[in-house]
Amino acid sequence: MKIAIGGIFTESNQFSLNPITVSEFKRGGIFCGNEFYQASVPSIRGCIEGLNEENAEIIPLLYASASPGGEISLDTFEELYSDLMARLRQNMNLEGLILNMHGAAVLEDGSHLDSAMLERIREELCKIPIFITVDLHAYITENLVRSCDAILAWNTYPHRDMFDIGKKAAKLLSRTIRGEIKPKMVFSGVNVITSAINASTDGAGPFAKLMAEQLKAEADQDDILSTSLFLCQPYLDQPNMMSGSLVISNNDLDKAQRLSYEFAEKYWNKRAEFLSETKSAIQVLDSLKSEEYDHHVLVEASDCCGGGAIGDSVHTIRQLMRLNSDQKSLSIVVDPKAIDQLSDKNIGAIVKLEIGHQADTKWGNPIGDNFEIIDKSAGLFTYQGGIWGGETGDMGLSCLVKKSENYILINSKPTYEWAGEQYHAMNLDLNNYKYILVKNPMNYKNLKLTGRTKYHRIDESGPTPINVERLPFTKIKEFFPKNLEERMIIRQYF
């Protein structure tokens, strides 16, 4: 069997002024041809191991990944897509193709990258099976379902099973090519669009319960090849955005329809459990004065780089400075303009500086004050797990500055948060700080803190709010929770 693998992987936020260009993909990693075998990308490694076990001949095309951001420039997409297709056209006697995608990427013309790319590839490869792996926050469209033979989503959040899903896709594709199975795929979507704050697959939350029940249904039925549960990326503005269930059966479309519909309906019935009570930064910090904990982790989820924000909010930092505590705080912010002012200054210098809201200005105002430069770094680190586990992260030239007991790490580039790697790159021990600011709504649980720790969800003005219904959507109108009494709408694609 001759099987090709590739992909263009990133995630978009259409409410963020953080365009994704080819430079972001170069920073994230572009692997071509035999470079695949040096990549640490878990989904790629899983595909390679699975195909090797099936004795397939692997044709590595192009895999490009970028940290989440806004919309992708058309020039960037065409450059990457043309390279991938040029390599594919040199191997037109393929028997199968696996693409490792995200599923929630949008081009600057508003079109869905994943659907557009698969439609174009399907036109050229009309007869061979095409499998794709995606994030469980993918935006599943009718055209995407019709342009490929199987979609397999990761089953964990925080994301830990990319290798396993890549390997599973490789093995199912190999079985399909040999004629052992005939995949029949159905997606059933329901009009529930919420943030992922209550959508961990760990613990006993609503998403975890649905995921466990659906995976058990898959395990209990030999003719069900794969199931995926989706919480649609809520920071898109696309038609027919739906969360729901995707089921792949072995040549039994009716069964796939029934099972996916069943779990989409169960998703709707649990919709209220996905909502979360939140507080502003000032409300949270004012409530902490009488609480005795070693650490307070402040989760400003409304400015999450992992959801496509630039990461330049200072709403929480402003309130930490107002608190004027004698306890140390550690915060993070992306501000290339501030870094430009600091780049030629020496450690120990006192610099008059404005920080925050200088890249994506509509969400707030900068902080102006005098700050002491404590340390500088080139901003390189290695991810300890997650989507980019083992890969190099690049937050650009970075400076640690201080005002009283408030320490602020300023980066010049946004990066995905996994386990505090940005702080560790500056050789900072998080256990030395009472207040620690993070911005990913899920991965803060990967921080290794000793002592009594309390976590606080903060929802401020920003492009990745916990309460998504306040975003200015134009393409979707009937969805929960914008309309709390909204009727259930289920759409099926197959």
Side-chain angles (χ1 to χ4, degrees), residues 269-282:
N269 291 337
K270 285 187 174 291
R271 64 194 183 282
E273 298 178 42
F274 286 88
L275 304 183
S276 175
E277 290 187 10
T278 61
K279 295 181 179 180
S280 66
I282 191 170

Side-chain angles (χ1 to χ4, degrees), residues 62-222:
L62 170 143
Y63 178 79
S65 71
S67 185
E71 296 175 341
I72 302 112
S73 75
L74 291 173
D75 288 346
T76 295
F77 171 66
E78 290 298 338
E79 180 177 337
L80 296 173
Y81 176 77
S82 296
D83 191 330
L84 184 148
M85 291 305 295
R87 297 172 186 276
L88 187 147
R89 290 181 185 117
Q90 293 172 6
N91 295 275
M92 291 302 284
N93 58 339
L94 293 173
E95 294 177 79
L97 171 65
I98 304 177
L99 294 173
N100 294 274
M101 309 291 283
H102 182 282
V106 175
L107 301 175
E108 63 179 328
D109 65 0
S111 60
H112 184 222
L113 178 151
D114 308 82
S115 297
M117 180 169 162
L118 265 294
E119 288 174 46
R120 289 167 66 174
I121 291 175
R122 176 54 82 193
E123 287 181 5
E124 295 206 33
L125 302 177
C126 57
K127 294 182 179 180
I128 71 168
I130 300 174
F131 281 35
I132 67 171
T133 67
V134 296
D135 192 312
L136 55 77
H137 298 140
Y139 161 51
I140 303 299
T141 70
E142 186 170 15
N143 286 345
L144 184 65
V145 171
R146 291 183 174 179
S147 297
C148 63
D149 298 273
I151 299 171
L152 286 79
W154 310 333
N155 293 322
T156 57
Y157 185 54
H159 302 310
R160 293 186 292 264
D161 64 336
M162 297 76 64
F163 177 94
D164 295 334
I165 298 302
K167 185 173 180 178
K168 181 179 180 179
K171 287 187 166 291
L172 287 177
L173 176 57
S174 298
R175 293 179 63 196
T176 301
I177 293 169
R178 290 195 296 264
E180 298 171 5
I181 56 174
K182 295 181 179 180
K184 299 293 182 181
M185 174 171 60
V186 179
F187 171 73
S188 297
V190 66
N191 53 324
V192 178
I193 301 297
T194 64
S195 77
I197 198 78
N198 280 338
S200 174
T201 54
D202 299 333
F207 200 75
K209 289 179 180 177
L210 285 170
M211 180 67 79
E213 186 178 351
Q214 185 170 268
L215 289 175
K216 184 177 186 304
E218 174 185 339
D220 289 347
Q221 301 176 70
D222 291 340

Side-chain angles (χ1 to χ4, degrees), residues 382-407:
T382 301
Y383 279 107
Q384 298 305 303
I387 301 170
W388 287 280
E391 291 294 312
T392 298
D394 179 6
M395 56 190 182
L397 179 62
S398 300
C399 294
L400 182 68
V401 302
K402 172 187 174 185
K403 176 67 179 181
S404 300
E405 292 302 306
N406 298 294
Y407 291 78

Side-chain angles (χ1 to χ4, degrees), residues 341-353 369-376 399-403:
Q341 292 180 254
L342 295 168
S343 61
D344 62 348
K345 303 297 190 298
N346 295 323
I347 293 173
I350 306 296
V351 181
K352 185 176 178 63
L353 199 62
D369 214 319
N370 294 314
F371 296 89
E372 179 185 357
I373 302 176
I374 303 301
D375 201 3
K376 290 185 174 184
C399 294
L400 182 68
V401 302
K402 172 187 174 185
K403 176 67 179 181

Side-chain angles (χ1 to χ4, degrees), residues 294-295 328-330 407 428-435:
D294 297 297
H295 309 291
K328 289 183 179 180
S329 73
L330 180 60
Y407 291 78
L428 298 171
D429 184 350
L430 302 187
N431 289 296
N432 293 333
Y433 299 87
K434 178 83 168 183
Y435 306 103

Side-chain angles (χ1 to χ4, degrees), residues 5-18:
I5 55 176
I8 299 175
F9 181 96
T10 192
E11 179 180 13
S12 292
N13 181 319
Q14 292 187 268
F15 303 100
S16 173
L17 296 178
N18 183 18

